[in-house]
Amino acid sequence: MSLLTLLPFIVLIGAMFLMTRSAKKKQQQAADMRNQMQPGSGIRTIGGMYATVKEVNEDTVLVDAGPGVDLLFAKNAIGAVLTDDEYNRIVHGIEHDLKSDADIVPDDASSLTETGDSAADASADDKAVDLGKKDAAEEPADEAAEAKTDTEPKTDAEPKKTDGDSEAK
């Protein structure tokens, strides 16, 4: 046999080796994450339930899912161990802001461009901006013309709908 005929098999075996190697690495990372669980940690199960760890045993984890609700899970049913900030954000809706004393960024740039006199800014904001719309004086004449065309019966050449019976066969 020549090397050229064995080359596809060698490439295939090499690809399988690399895929199993990466899968084993992911499994090892997941096992390390589960072994780092401690009581009080927030977790997410593979089913999507969020809970707090009460007790960690060799193969099982006792979690507190709510007031008076303790559940026993297998360790491999734990999908992720969450940080305290992430757990509080998801479960309790609490946003932990490290910069709570810092300035808040405004939604618009008007407060960033203000000069000293706010009276001049207020009068400039009150002026109407022409966006190409019709004036109020032009609208009644146009509306009257449109009203006349709306009251006239429509005589479009649209065919009437039938029940599906057609005379042409």
Side-chain angles (χ1 to χ4, degrees):
M1 293 186 121
S2 70
L3 184 63
L4 190 59
T5 58
L6 292 176
L7 187 64
F9 294 112
I10 294 171
V11 170
L12 184 63
I13 291 171
M16 289 173 48
F17 173 74
L18 291 175
M19 287 191 299
T20 58
R21 183 176 166 206
S22 66
K24 284 182 183 180
K25 186 183 278 187
K26 286 181 184 178
Q27 287 176 349
Q28 184 62 39
Q29 287 175 346
D32 291 342
M33 178 255 326
R34 289 182 187 114
N35 289 333
Q36 292 175 357
M37 275 189 301
Q38 298 174 356
S41 300
I43 57 134
R44 182 184 65 233
T45 65
I46 58 173
M49 186 179 72
Y50 293 91
T52 305
V53 176
K54 272 183 104 173
E55 182 180 317
V56 179
N57 298 320
E58 187 175 326
D59 294 329
T60 60
V61 178
L62 183 67
V63 298
D64 181 23
V69 180
D70 293 338
L71 303 171
L72 186 65
F73 280 97
K75 261 191 179 180
N76 60 1
I78 306 302
V81 177
L82 307 172
T83 63
D84 291 338
D85 292 339
E86 185 178 10
Y87 182 77
N88 287 332
R89 181 182 57 82
I90 293 170
V91 175
H92 303 294
I94 299 171
E95 291 288 333
H96 181 69
D97 189 12
L98 297 175
K99 303 176 194 173
S100 60
D101 297 336
D103 291 335
I104 298 173
V105 178
D107 290 337
D108 59 352
S110 63
S111 64
L112 299 175
T113 58
E114 287 181 2
T115 57
D117 49 311
S118 59
D121 290 339
S123 64
D125 289 341
D126 292 341
K127 293 181 183 177
V129 177
D130 183 22
L131 298 175
K133 294 183 178 181
K134 298 177 185 177
D135 288 24
E138 295 176 12
E139 288 180 10
D142 293 340
E143 288 176 5
E146 288 178 19
K148 289 180 183 177
T149 58
D150 288 342
T151 58
E152 296 174 4
K154 294 184 179 181
T155 56
D156 293 340
E158 289 184 24
K160 294 183 179 180
K161 294 184 180 178
T162 61
D163 295 343
D165 298 332
S166 65
E167 296 177 18
K169 291 187 178 183

